[in-house]
Amino acid sequence: MKSARKLSFSSSASSPTATATVTVTSPDEQFIPPPPPNITLHLQPNQAHSRAATKIQSAYRAHLIRTLYKTISTVDSAADRLQRRIQRQDTGRRPPGQPPREGRGIDEELMRLLLRLDSVPGGIDPALREGRRK
């Protein structure tokens, strides 16, 4: 059968050096280590770290803008191909009253392109916003 242990912790942090008092009550008087003290670090910003962080962030933003603009240009070229395909169908001869054969496939493909274009956020860069509008 296990014996019950009661622990009570109290601390006072009135000065920068905090003191902790631990009272351990146990039938067999085993040592229970006190909890670790709260340590607060105050770091001074280093200019080299700040410049390095700015450089990393600008490189990431440039990469992100290039990737998103590539997505926009891919959607644009696919939309141009669909437009040429639609124009070829309109000029093609078919009997009156017969619906176009590929109408439903083109609609679905256009919807997929619009969804891909919607996945590009426009608020990151003004060039991306203009590319989406175009």
Side-chain angles (χ1 to χ4, degrees), residues 89-103:
Q89 283 181 358
D90 286 345
T91 59
R93 304 243 179 207
R94 62 184 143 109
Q98 182 181 1
R101 293 184 310 208
E102 297 183 48

Side-chain angles (χ1 to χ4, degrees), residues 14-15 40 43 51 63 76 87-88 92-93 102-103 109:
S14 60
S15 67
T40 307
L43 301 175
R51 282 193 307 256
H63 166 73
D76 186 39
Q87 287 173 348
R88 276 197 313 259
R93 304 243 179 207
E102 297 183 48
E109 205 165 332

